[in-house]
Coordinates of all heavy atoms in Angstrom, one line a residue:
M253 N -43.4 -35.1 39.5 CA -43.7 -33.8 40.0 C -42.4 -33.0 39.9 O -42.5 -31.8 39.6 CB -44.2 -33.9 41.4 CG -44.5 -32.6 42.1 SD -46.0 -31.9 41.3 CE -46.3 -30.5 42.3
R254 N -41.3 -33.6 40.2 CA -40.0 -32.9 40.1 C -39.7 -32.4 38.7 O -39.2 -31.3 38.5 CB -38.9 -33.8 40.7 CG -37.5 -33.0 40.7 CD -36.7 -33.7 41.7 NE -35.3 -33.4 41.6 CZ -34.8 -32.2 42.1 NH1 -35.6 -31.3 42.7 NH2 -33.5 -31.8 41.9
I255 N -40.0 -33.2 37.7 CA -39.8 -32.8 36.3 C -40.6 -31.6 36.0 O -40.1 -30.7 35.3 CB -40.1 -34.0 35.4 CG1 -39.2 -35.2 35.6 CG2 -40.1 -33.6 33.9 CD1 -37.8 -35.0 35.0
L256 N -41.8 -31.6 36.4 CA -42.7 -30.4 36.2 C -42.2 -29.2 36.8 O -42.2 -28.1 36.2 CB -44.2 -30.7 36.6 CG -45.2 -29.6 36.4 CD1 -45.3 -29.4 34.9 CD2 -46.6 -30.1 37.0
Q257 N -41.7 -29.3 38.1 CA -41.1 -28.1 38.7 C -39.8 -27.6 37.9 O -39.7 -26.4 37.8 CB -40.6 -28.5 40.1 CG -41.7 -28.6 41.1 CD -41.2 -29.1 42.5 OE1 -40.4 -30.1 42.5 NE2 -41.7 -28.4 43.5
E258 N -39.1 -28.6 37.5 CA -37.9 -28.2 36.7 C -38.2 -27.5 35.4 O -37.6 -26.4 35.1 CB -37.0 -29.4 36.5 CG -35.7 -29.1 35.7 CD -34.7 -28.5 36.7 OE1 -34.7 -28.8 37.9 OE2 -33.8 -27.8 36.2
I259 N -39.2 -27.9 34.7 CA -39.6 -27.3 33.5 C -40.2 -25.9 33.8 O -39.9 -24.9 33.1 CB -40.7 -28.2 32.8 CG1 -40.0 -29.4 32.2 CG2 -41.4 -27.4 31.6 CD1 -41.0 -30.5 31.8
L260 N -41.1 -25.8 34.8 CA -41.6 -24.5 35.2 C -40.5 -23.5 35.5 O -40.5 -22.4 35.2 CB -42.7 -24.7 36.2 CG -43.4 -23.4 36.6 CD1 -44.2 -22.8 35.4 CD2 -44.5 -23.7 37.6
Y261 N -39.5 -24.0 36.4 CA -38.5 -23.2 36.8 C -37.7 -22.7 35.7 O -37.3 -21.5 35.5 CB -37.6 -24.0 37.8 CG -36.5 -23.2 38.5 CD1 -36.8 -22.4 39.6 CD2 -35.2 -23.1 38.1 CE1 -35.9 -21.6 40.3 CE2 -34.2 -22.4 38.7 CZ -34.7 -21.6 39.8 OH -33.7 -20.8 40.4
R262 N -37.2 -23.6 34.7 CA -36.5 -23.2 33.5 C -37.3 -22.2 32.6 O -36.7 -21.3 32.0 CB -36.0 -24.4 32.7 CG -35.1 -25.4 33.5 CD -33.8 -24.7 33.9 NE -33.1 -25.6 34.7 CZ -32.2 -25.1 35.6 NH1 -31.9 -23.9 35.7 NH2 -31.5 -26.1 36.4
G263 N -38.5 -22.5 32.5 CA -39.4 -21.5 31.7 C -39.4 -20.2 32.3 O -39.3 -19.1 31.6
L264 N -39.5 -20.0 33.6 CA -39.4 -18.8 34.3 C -38.0 -18.1 34.0 O -38.0 -16.9 33.9 CB -39.7 -18.9 35.8 CG -41.1 -19.2 36.1 CD1 -41.3 -19.6 37.6 CD2 -42.1 -18.1 35.7
E265 N -37.0 -18.9 34.1 CA -35.7 -18.3 33.8 C -35.5 -17.7 32.5 O -35.0 -16.7 32.2 CB -34.6 -19.4 34.0 CG -34.3 -19.7 35.4 CD -33.1 -20.8 35.5 OE1 -33.0 -21.6 34.6 OE2 -32.4 -20.8 36.5
V266 N -36.1 -18.5 31.5 CA -36.0 -18.0 30.1 C -36.9 -16.7 29.9 O -36.5 -15.8 29.3 CB -36.6 -19.1 29.1 CG1 -36.9 -18.5 27.7 CG2 -35.6 -20.2 29.1
Y267 N -38.0 -16.7 30.6 CA -38.8 -15.4 30.6 C -38.1 -14.2 31.2 O -38.3 -13.1 30.7 CB -40.2 -15.7 31.2 CG -41.3 -14.8 30.7 CD1 -41.7 -14.9 29.4 CD2 -41.8 -13.7 31.5 CE1 -42.7 -14.0 28.9 CE2 -42.7 -12.8 31.0 CZ -43.2 -13.0 29.7 OH -44.1 -12.1 29.3
V268 N -37.4 -14.5 32.2 CA -36.6 -13.4 32.9 C -35.6 -12.8 31.8 O -35.4 -11.6 31.6 CB -35.8 -13.9 34.1 CG1 -34.8 -12.9 34.5 CG2 -36.9 -14.0 35.2
L269 N -35.0 -13.7 31.0 CA -34.0 -13.3 30.0 C -34.8 -12.6 28.9 O -34.2 -11.6 28.4 CB -33.2 -14.5 29.4 CG -32.3 -15.2 30.4 CD1 -31.7 -16.5 29.8 CD2 -31.2 -14.3 30.9
I270 N -35.9 -13.0 28.6 CA -36.6 -12.2 27.5 C -37.0 -10.9 28.0 O -36.9 -9.9 27.2 CB -38.0 -13.1 27.2 CG1 -37.6 -14.3 26.5 CG2 -38.9 -12.2 26.4 CD1 -38.8 -15.2 26.2
I271 N -37.5 -10.8 29.2 CA -37.7 -9.4 29.8 C -36.5 -8.5 29.9 O -36.6 -7.4 29.5 CB -38.4 -9.5 31.2 CG1 -39.8 -10.2 31.1 CG2 -38.4 -8.2 31.9 CD1 -40.4 -10.5 32.4
I272 N -35.4 -9.1 30.3 CA -34.1 -8.3 30.3 C -33.7 -7.8 28.9 O -33.3 -6.7 28.7 CB -33.0 -9.1 31.1 CG1 -33.4 -9.2 32.5 CG2 -31.7 -8.4 30.9 CD1 -32.5 -10.1 33.3
G273 N -33.9 -8.8 28.0 CA -33.5 -8.4 26.6 C -34.4 -7.3 26.1 O -34.0 -6.3 25.4
Q274 N -35.7 -7.4 26.4 CA -36.6 -6.3 26.0 C -36.3 -5.0 26.6 O -36.4 -4.0 26.0 CB -38.1 -6.8 26.2 CG -39.1 -6.0 25.4 CD -39.6 -4.9 26.3 OE1 -39.7 -4.9 27.5 NE2 -40.1 -3.9 25.5
I275 N -36.0 -5.1 27.9 CA -35.6 -3.8 28.6 C -34.3 -3.2 27.9 O -34.3 -1.9 27.6 CB -35.3 -4.1 30.1 CG1 -36.6 -4.4 30.8 CG2 -34.7 -2.9 30.8 CD1 -36.4 -4.9 32.2
L276 N -33.3 -4.0 27.6 CA -32.1 -3.5 27.1 C -32.4 -2.9 25.7 O -31.8 -1.8 25.3 CB -31.0 -4.6 27.0 CG -30.5 -5.0 28.3 CD1 -29.5 -6.1 28.1 CD2 -29.8 -3.8 29.0
L277 N -33.2 -3.6 24.9 CA -33.5 -3.1 23.5 C -34.3 -1.8 23.6 O -34.3 -1.0 22.6 CB -34.2 -4.2 22.8 CG -33.4 -5.1 22.0 CD1 -34.3 -6.1 21.2 CD2 -32.5 -4.4 21.0
S278 N -35.0 -1.6 24.6 CA -35.8 -0.3 24.7 C -34.9 0.9 24.7 O -35.4 2.0 24.5 CB -36.8 -0.4 25.9 OG -36.1 -0.2 27.1
F279 N -33.7 0.8 25.0 CA -32.7 1.9 25.1 C -32.2 2.3 23.7 O -31.7 3.4 23.6 CB -31.6 1.7 26.1 CG -32.0 1.6 27.5 CD1 -32.0 0.4 28.2 CD2 -32.3 2.8 28.1 CE1 -32.4 0.4 29.5 CE2 -32.7 2.8 29.5 CZ -32.8 1.6 30.1
F280 N -32.4 1.4 22.7 CA -31.9 1.7 21.4 C -32.9 1.9 20.4 O -34.0 1.1 20.4 CB -31.0 0.5 20.9 CG -29.9 0.1 21.8 CD1 -29.9 -0.9 22.7 CD2 -28.7 1.0 21.7 CE1 -28.8 -1.2 23.6 CE2 -27.6 0.7 22.6 CZ -27.7 -0.3 23.5
P281 N -32.8 2.9 19.6 CA -33.9 3.1 18.6 C -33.8 2.0 17.5 O -32.8 1.7 17.1 CB -33.5 4.5 18.0 CG -32.1 4.7 18.3 CD -31.8 3.9 19.5
T282 N -35.0 1.5 17.2 CA -35.0 0.5 16.1 C -36.0 1.0 15.0 O -36.9 1.6 15.2 CB -35.6 -0.8 16.7 OG1 -36.8 -0.6 17.2 CG2 -34.6 -1.5 17.7
H283 N -35.5 0.7 13.8 CA -36.3 1.1 12.6 C -36.7 -0.1 11.8 O -36.0 -1.1 11.8 CB -35.3 2.1 11.8 CG -34.8 3.2 12.5 ND1 -35.6 4.3 12.8 CD2 -33.6 3.5 12.8 CE1 -34.9 5.1 13.4 NE2 -33.6 4.7 13.5
P284 N -37.9 -0.1 11.2 CA -38.4 -1.1 10.4 C -37.3 -1.6 9.4 O -36.7 -0.7 8.7 CB -39.6 -0.7 9.8 CG -40.1 0.4 10.7 CD -38.8 1.1 11.3
G285 N -37.1 -2.9 9.3 CA -36.1 -3.4 8.4 C -34.8 -3.7 9.0 O -34.0 -4.5 8.5
S286 N -34.5 -3.1 10.2 CA -33.2 -3.4 10.9 C -33.4 -4.8 11.6 O -34.5 -5.2 12.1 CB -32.9 -2.3 11.8 OG -33.7 -2.3 12.9
P287 N -32.3 -5.5 11.9 CA -32.3 -6.7 12.6 C -32.8 -6.5 14.0 O -33.6 -7.4 14.5 CB -30.9 -7.2 12.6 CG -30.2 -6.5 11.5 CD -30.9 -5.2 11.3
L288 N -32.5 -5.4 14.7 CA -32.9 -5.3 16.0 C -34.4 -5.0 16.1 O -35.1 -5.4 17.1 CB -32.2 -4.0 16.6 CG -30.8 -4.3 17.1 CD1 -30.2 -3.1 17.7 CD2 -30.7 -5.4 18.1
Y289 N -35.0 -4.5 15.0 CA -36.4 -4.2 15.0 C -37.2 -5.6 15.1 O -38.1 -5.7 15.8 CB -36.8 -3.4 13.7 CG -38.3 -3.2 13.6 CD1 -38.8 -2.1 14.3 CD2 -39.1 -3.9 12.7 CE1 -40.2 -1.9 14.2 CE2 -40.4 -3.6 12.6 CZ -40.9 -2.6 13.4 OH -42.3 -2.3 13.2
R290 N -36.7 -6.5 14.3 CA -37.4 -7.9 14.3 C -37.2 -8.5 15.7 O -38.2 -9.1 16.2 CB -36.8 -8.7 13.2 CG -37.1 -8.1 11.8 CD -36.3 -8.9 10.8 NE -37.1 -9.9 10.2 CZ -36.7 -10.9 9.4 NH1 -35.4 -10.9 9.0 NH2 -37.5 -11.8 8.9
V291 N -36.1 -8.4 16.3 CA -35.9 -9.0 17.7 C -36.8 -8.3 18.6 O -37.5 -8.9 19.5 CB -34.4 -8.9 18.1 CG1 -34.2 -9.3 19.5 CG2 -33.5 -9.7 17.1
N292 N -36.9 -7.0 18.5 CA -37.7 -6.2 19.4 C -39.2 -6.5 19.3 O -39.9 -6.7 20.2 CB -37.6 -4.7 19.1 CG -38.2 -3.8 20.2 OD1 -38.3 -4.3 21.4 ND2 -38.4 -2.7 19.9
I293 N -39.6 -6.8 18.1 CA -41.0 -7.3 17.8 C -41.3 -8.6 18.5 O -42.3 -8.8 19.1 CB -41.3 -7.3 16.3 CG1 -41.3 -6.0 15.7 CG2 -42.7 -8.1 16.0 CD1 -42.4 -5.0 16.1
Y294 N -40.4 -9.5 18.3 CA -40.6 -10.8 18.9 C -40.6 -10.8 20.5 O -41.4 -11.4 21.1 CB -39.5 -11.9 18.4 CG -39.7 -12.3 17.0 CD1 -38.8 -12.1 16.1 CD2 -40.9 -12.9 16.6 CE1 -38.9 -12.5 14.8 CE2 -41.1 -13.3 15.3 CZ -40.0 -13.0 14.3 OH -40.2 -13.4 13.1
L295 N -39.7 -10.0 21.0 CA -39.7 -9.8 22.5 C -40.9 -9.1 23.0 O -41.4 -9.5 24.0 CB -38.4 -9.1 22.9 CG -37.0 -9.8 22.6 CD1 -35.9 -8.9 23.1 CD2 -37.0 -11.1 23.4
R296 N -41.4 -8.2 22.2 CA -42.6 -7.4 22.7 C -43.8 -8.4 22.6 O -44.7 -8.4 23.4 CB -42.8 -6.2 21.8 CG -41.9 -5.2 22.2 CD -42.2 -3.8 21.6 NE -43.6 -3.5 22.0 CZ -44.0 -2.3 22.2 NH1 -43.3 -1.3 22.0 NH2 -45.2 -2.0 22.6
R297 N -43.8 -9.2 21.6 CA -44.9 -10.3 21.5 C -45.0 -11.2 22.7 O -46.0 -11.7 23.1 CB -44.9 -11.1 20.2 CG -45.3 -10.4 19.0 CD -45.2 -11.2 17.8 NE -45.5 -10.5 16.6 CZ -45.3 -10.9 15.4 NH1 -44.7 -12.1 15.2 NH2 -45.6 -10.2 14.3
A298 N -43.8 -11.4 23.2 CA -43.7 -12.3 24.4 C -44.0 -11.6 25.7 O -44.5 -12.2 26.7 CB -42.3 -12.9 24.5
T299 N -43.7 -10.3 25.8 CA -43.9 -9.5 27.0 C -45.2 -8.7 27.1 O -45.7 -8.6 28.2 CB -42.7 -8.6 27.3 OG1 -42.5 -7.8 26.2 CG2 -41.4 -9.5 27.5
D300 N -45.6 -8.2 26.0 CA -46.8 -7.4 26.1 C -48.1 -8.0 26.7 O -48.8 -7.3 27.5 CB -47.2 -6.8 24.7 CG -46.3 -5.6 24.4 OD1 -45.6 -5.0 25.2 OD2 -46.4 -5.1 23.2
P301 N -48.3 -9.3 26.4 CA -49.5 -9.9 27.1 C -49.5 -9.9 28.6 O -50.5 -9.8 29.4 CB -49.6 -11.2 26.6 CG -48.9 -11.3 25.3 CD -47.8 -10.2 25.5
V302 N -48.3 -9.8 29.2 CA -48.1 -9.8 30.6 C -48.1 -8.2 31.1 O -48.7 -8.0 32.1 CB -46.8 -10.5 31.1 CG1 -46.6 -10.4 32.5 CG2 -46.9 -12.0 30.6
Y303 N -47.4 -7.4 30.3 CA -47.3 -6.0 30.7 C -48.6 -5.3 30.6 O -48.9 -4.5 31.5 CB -46.3 -5.3 29.8 CG -44.9 -5.7 29.9 CD1 -43.9 -5.3 29.0 CD2 -44.4 -6.4 31.0 CE1 -42.6 -5.6 29.2 CE2 -43.1 -6.7 31.2 CZ -42.1 -6.3 30.2 OH -40.9 -6.6 30.4
L304 N -49.3 -5.4 29.6 CA -50.6 -4.6 29.3 C -51.5 -4.6 30.3 O -52.0 -3.5 30.8 CB -51.2 -4.9 28.0 CG -50.3 -4.7 26.7 CD1 -51.0 -5.1 25.4 CD2 -49.9 -3.2 26.6
P305 N -52.0 -5.7 31.0 CA -52.9 -5.6 32.1 C -52.3 -4.8 33.2 O -53.0 -4.0 33.9 CB -53.2 -7.1 32.5 CG -52.8 -7.8 31.3 CD -51.8 -7.1 30.6
L306 N -51.1 -4.9 33.5 CA -50.4 -4.3 34.6 C -50.3 -2.8 34.3 O -50.4 -1.9 35.3 CB -49.0 -4.9 34.9 CG -48.4 -4.5 36.2 CD1 -49.3 -4.8 37.4 CD2 -47.0 -5.2 36.3
R307 N -50.0 -2.4 33.1 CA -49.9 -1.0 32.7 C -51.3 -0.3 32.8 O -51.3 0.9 33.0 CB -49.4 -0.9 31.3 CG -48.0 -1.2 31.1 CD -47.5 -1.2 29.7 NE -46.1 -1.4 29.6 CZ -45.5 -1.9 28.5 NH1 -46.2 -2.1 27.4 NH2 -44.2 -2.1 28.5
R308 N -52.4 -1.0 32.7 CA -53.7 -0.4 32.9 C -53.9 0.0 34.4 O -54.6 1.0 34.7 CB -54.8 -1.3 32.4 CG -54.9 -1.5 31.0 CD -56.1 -2.3 30.6 NE -55.9 -2.8 29.3 CZ -55.8 -4.1 29.0 NH1 -56.0 -5.0 29.9 NH2 -55.6 -4.5 27.8
I309 N -53.3 -0.8 35.3 CA -53.4 -0.5 36.7 C -52.4 0.4 37.2 O -52.8 1.4 37.9 CB -53.3 -1.9 37.5 CG1 -54.3 -2.8 37.1 CG2 -53.3 -1.6 39.0 CD1 -54.1 -4.2 37.6
I310 N -51.2 0.3 36.7 CA -50.1 1.2 37.2 C -49.5 1.9 36.0 O -48.7 1.3 35.2 CB -49.0 0.3 37.9 CG1 -49.5 -0.5 39.0 CG2 -47.7 1.3 38.3 CD1 -48.5 -1.5 39.6
P311 N -49.8 3.2 35.8 CA -49.3 4.0 34.7 C -47.8 4.3 34.9 O -47.3 4.2 36.0 CB -50.2 5.2 34.7 CG -50.6 5.4 36.1 CD -50.7 4.0 36.6
P312 N -47.2 4.6 33.8 CA -45.7 5.0 33.9 C -45.5 6.2 34.9 O -46.5 7.1 34.9 CB -45.3 5.3 32.5 CG -46.3 4.6 31.7 CD -47.6 4.6 32.4
V313 N -44.4 6.3 35.6 CA -44.1 7.3 36.5 C -43.4 8.4 35.6 O -42.4 8.1 34.9 CB -43.2 6.8 37.6 CG1 -42.9 8.1 38.5 CG2 -43.9 5.7 38.4
A314 N -43.9 9.6 35.7 CA -43.3 10.7 34.9 C -42.2 11.4 35.6 O -42.3 11.6 36.8 CB -44.5 11.8 34.6
F315 N -41.1 11.6 34.9 CA -40.0 12.4 35.3 C -39.7 13.4 34.3 O -38.9 13.3 33.3 CB -38.7 11.5 35.4 CG -38.7 10.5 36.4 CD1 -38.9 9.1 36.1 CD2 -38.6 10.8 37.8 CE1 -39.0 8.2 37.1 CE2 -38.7 9.9 38.7 CZ -38.8 8.6 38.4
G316 N -40.4 14.6 34.5 CA -40.3 15.7 33.5 C -40.9 15.3 32.1 O -42.0 14.9 32.1
S317 N -40.1 15.2 31.1 CA -40.5 14.8 29.8 C -40.4 13.3 29.5 O -40.9 12.8 28.6 CB -39.8 15.6 28.7 OG -38.5 15.2 28.8
A318 N -39.7 12.6 30.4 CA -39.5 11.1 30.4 C -40.5 10.4 31.3 O -41.1 11.0 32.2 CB -38.1 10.8 30.7
A319 N -40.7 9.1 31.0 CA -41.6 8.3 31.8 C -40.9 7.0 32.1 O -40.3 6.4 31.2 CB -42.9 8.1 31.2
L320 N -41.1 6.4 33.3 CA -40.5 5.1 33.7 C -41.6 4.2 33.9 O -42.5 4.3 34.6 CB -39.8 5.3 35.0 CG -39.2 4.1 35.6 CD1 -38.0 3.5 34.6 CD2 -38.5 4.3 36.9
D321 N -41.5 3.1 33.0 CA -42.5 2.0 33.0 C -42.1 1.1 34.1 O -41.1 0.4 34.0 CB -42.6 1.3 31.7 CG -43.7 0.3 31.6 OD1 -44.6 0.2 32.6 OD2 -43.7 -0.5 30.7
L322 N -42.9 0.9 35.2 CA -42.6 0.0 36.3 C -43.0 -1.5 36.1 O -42.7 -2.3 36.8 CB -43.2 0.5 37.6 CG -42.7 1.9 38.0 CD1 -43.5 2.3 39.2 CD2 -41.3 1.9 38.3
S323 N -43.8 -1.7 35.0 CA -44.4 -3.1 34.8 C -43.3 -4.2 34.7 O -43.4 -5.2 35.3 CB -45.4 -3.1 33.7 OG -44.8 -2.6 32.5
P324 N -42.2 -3.9 34.0 CA -41.2 -5.0 33.9 C -40.5 -5.3 35.3 O -40.3 -6.4 35.6 CB -40.1 -4.4 33.0 CG -40.8 -3.4 32.1 CD -41.8 -2.8 33.0
L325 N -40.4 -4.2 36.1 CA -39.8 -4.5 37.4 C -40.7 -5.3 38.3 O -40.3 -6.2 39.0 CB -39.4 -3.1 38.1 CG -38.4 -2.3 37.4 CD1 -38.2 -1.0 38.0 CD2 -37.1 -3.0 37.3
I326 N -42.0 -4.9 38.2 CA -43.0 -5.7 39.0 C -43.1 -7.1 38.6 O -43.2 -8.0 39.4 CB -44.3 -5.0 39.0 CG1 -44.2 -3.6 39.7 CG2 -45.4 -5.8 39.6 CD1 -45.4 -2.7 39.4
I327 N -43.1 -7.4 37.3 CA -43.2 -8.7 36.7 C -41.9 -9.5 37.1 O -42.0 -10.7 37.5 CB -43.4 -8.7 35.2 CG1 -44.6 -8.1 34.8 CG2 -43.2 -10.0 34.6 CD1 -45.9 -8.7 35.4
L328 N -40.8 -8.9 37.0 CA -39.5 -9.6 37.5 C -39.6 -10.0 39.0 O -39.2 -11.1 39.4 CB -38.4 -8.8 37.2 CG -37.9 -8.6 35.7 CD1 -36.8 -7.6 35.6 CD2 -37.5 -10.0 35.2
L329 N -40.2 -9.1 39.8 CA -40.3 -9.4 41.2 C -41.2 -10.6 41.4 O -40.9 -11.5 42.2 CB -40.9 -8.1 41.9 CG -41.1 -8.4 43.5 CD1 -39.8 -8.6 44.2 CD2 -41.8 -7.1 44.0
V330 N -42.3 -10.6 40.7 CA -43.3 -11.7 40.8 C -42.7 -13.0 40.4 O -42.8 -14.0 41.0 CB -44.6 -11.3 40.0 CG1 -45.5 -12.6 39.9 CG2 -45.4 -10.2 40.7
I331 N -41.9 -12.9 39.3 CA -41.3 -14.1 38.8 C -40.2 -14.6 39.8 O -40.1 -15.9 40.0 CB -40.6 -13.8 37.4 CG1 -41.7 -13.7 36.3 CG2 -39.7 -15.0 37.0 CD1 -41.1 -13.3 34.9
Q332 N -39.5 -13.8 40.4 CA -38.6 -14.2 41.4 C -39.3 -14.9 42.6 O -38.8 -15.9 43.1 CB -37.7 -13.0 42.0 CG -36.8 -12.5 40.9 CD -35.8 -13.5 40.4 OE1 -35.2 -14.2 41.3 NE2 -35.5 -13.6 39.2
I333 N -40.4 -14.4 43.0 CA -41.2 -15.1 44.0 C -41.7 -16.4 43.6 O -41.5 -17.4 44.3 CB -42.4 -14.2 44.4 CG1 -41.8 -12.9 45.2 CG2 -43.3 -14.9 45.4 CD1 -42.9 -11.8 45.4
L334 N -42.2 -16.5 42.3 CA -42.6 -17.8 41.8 C -41.4 -18.8 41.7 O -41.6 -20.0 42.0 CB -43.3 -17.6 40.4 CG -44.6 -17.0 40.4 CD1 -45.0 -16.7 38.9 CD2 -45.7 -17.9 41.1
M335 N -40.3 -18.3 41.3 CA -39.1 -19.2 41.2 C -38.7 -19.7 42.6 O -38.3 -20.9 42.7 CB -38.0 -18.5 40.5 CG -38.2 -18.2 39.1 SD -36.9 -17.2 38.3 CE -35.6 -18.5 38.1
R336 N -38.8 -19.0 43.6 CA -38.6 -19.5 45.0 C -39.5 -20.5 45.4 O -39.2 -21.5 46.1 CB -38.5 -18.3 46.0 CG -37.2 -17.5 45.8 CD -37.2 -16.4 46.9 NE -36.1 -15.6 46.7 CZ -35.0 -15.7 47.5 NH1 -34.8 -16.6 48.4 NH2 -33.9 -14.9 47.2
I337 N -40.8 -20.3 45.0 CA -41.8 -21.3 45.4 C -41.7 -22.6 44.6 O -41.8 -23.7 45.1 CB -43.3 -20.7 45.1 CG1 -43.6 -19.5 46.1 CG2 -44.4 -21.8 45.2 CD1 -44.8 -18.7 45.7
V338 N -41.4 -22.5 43.3 CA -41.2 -23.7 42.4 C -39.8 -24.3 42.5 O -39.8 -25.5 42.1 CB -41.5 -23.2 41.0 CG1 -41.3 -24.3 40.0 CG2 -42.9 -22.7 40.8
N339 N -38.9 -23.7 43.1 CA -37.5 -24.2 43.0 C -37.5 -25.7 43.4 O -37.8 -26.1 44.4 CB -36.7 -23.5 44.1 CG -35.2 -23.8 44.0 OD1 -34.8 -24.5 43.1 ND2 -34.4 -23.2 44.8
P340 N -37.0 -26.5 42.4 CA -36.9 -27.9 42.5 C -35.8 -28.4 43.5 O -35.8 -29.6 44.0 CB -36.6 -28.5 41.1 CG -36.0 -27.3 40.4 CD -36.5 -26.1 41.0
G341 N -35.0 -27.5 43.9 CA -33.9 -27.8 44.9 C -32.8 -28.7 44.3 O -32.9 -29.1 43.1
P342 N -31.9 -29.1 45.2 CA -30.8 -30.0 44.7 C -31.1 -31.4 44.5 O -32.1 -31.9 44.9 CB -29.7 -29.9 45.9 CG -30.6 -29.4 47.1 CD -31.7 -28.7 46.6

């Protein structure tokens, strides 16, 4: 059971890093053919299945002409809660 907890905990840690990477890449314009574009595509493939259902429920918050997508923040909060539940301990 402890091994399963450890694997799940590490998987959640990796997913947090994927989300943070995707958030950081969203600040930079990427063009097809650039190395960052390919990284962005892979990160979006990993995060969009989780984001899209949440985006249907909670639309982005508009700030004038810009919009803030809250789905990554909500997912990170849920992951942090799951990590506390699953934490294998010392």
Side-chain angles (χ1 to χ4, degrees):
M253 183 69 171
R254 183 155 166 82
I255 294 287
L256 183 59
Q257 285 178 312
E258 185 72 30
I259 291 170
L260 186 56
Y261 188 83
R262 297 297 173 206
L264 290 170
E265 282 182 334
V266 169
Y267 202 71
V268 166
L269 293 175
I270 289 171
I271 291 173
I272 291 171
Q274 198 267 332
I275 291 170
L276 292 175
L277 269 179
S278 71
F279 290 107
F280 301 102
T282 57
H283 304 288
S286 71
L288 284 181
Y289 181 78
R290 294 171 95 185
V291 172
N292 193 24
I293 292 295
Y294 288 122
L295 293 179
R296 287 190 59 147
R297 284 184 185 164
T299 57
D300 277 351
V302 178
Y303 288 169
L304 293 178
L306 192 57
R307 285 178 180 155
R308 287 187 202 116
I309 299 168
I310 303 170
V313 178
F315 291 107
S317 63
L320 177 64
D321 183 15
L322 297 177
S323 56
L325 297 174
I326 294 169
I327 296 299
L328 285 173
L329 177 66
V330 169
I331 289 174
Q332 289 301 313
I333 292 168
L334 288 173
M335 287 175 76
R336 286 184 182 257
I337 293 170
V338 173
N339 188 2

